[in-house]
């Protein structure tokens, strides 16, 4: 099952941009976009991005939007990087 996690970030050099992590089949693809009519670009995740990904995924487990097994898969991917 494909999962998508996204949030907005603000950087003094680059301004405000949207970061999206798409997880499918044990792989994570990071992309980002600066504006509404701009195209998605490849994003190199920082340590904060990995932490934020785990935080966003952990919020979805109690609401049953993802299963504990899916969260464990995300945790495994983050630990293996």
């Amino acid at each position: 099952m494909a999962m998508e996690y996204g949030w907005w970030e603000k950087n003094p050099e680059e301004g405000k941009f949207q970061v999206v992590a798409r997880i499918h089949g044990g792989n994570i693809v990071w992309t980002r976009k600066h504006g509404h009519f701009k195209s998605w670009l490849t994003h190199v995740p920082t340590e904060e991005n990995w932490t934020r990904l785990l935080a966003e995924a952990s919020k979805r487990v109690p609401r049953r939007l993802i299963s504990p097994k899916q969260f464990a898969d995300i945790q495994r991917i983050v630990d293996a990087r």
Side-chain angles (χ1 to χ4, degrees):
M1 178 179 165
M3 295 174 277
E4 186 174 294
Y5 301 91
W7 57 87
W8 287 89
E9 287 190 5
K10 199 177 270 190
N11 188 331
E13 296 93 29
E14 299 169 339
K16 186 176 176 182
F17 56 92
Q18 183 179 8
V19 175
V20 173
R22 290 180 182 87
I23 303 170
H24 183 67
N27 297 319
I28 297 181
V29 177
W30 292 88
T31 55
R32 71 187 208 178
K33 181 166 77 164
H34 286 277
H36 186 69
F37 296 109
K38 304 292 182 179
S39 59
W40 288 97
L41 304 171
T42 303
H43 177 67
V44 178
T46 63
E47 189 62 37
E48 286 181 4
N49 293 142
W50 291 104
T51 305
R52 180 82 184 259
L53 174 63
L54 284 177
E56 293 292 326
S58 68
K59 289 181 197 175
R60 295 182 186 194
V61 175
R63 299 182 317 186
R64 297 182 185 196
L65 297 174
I66 65 171
S67 68
K69 183 182 179 205
Q70 289 172 319
F71 180 73
D73 290 341
I74 295 170
Q75 181 72 46
R76 181 185 47 78
I77 292 169
V78 171
D79 292 341
R81 63 178 166 92

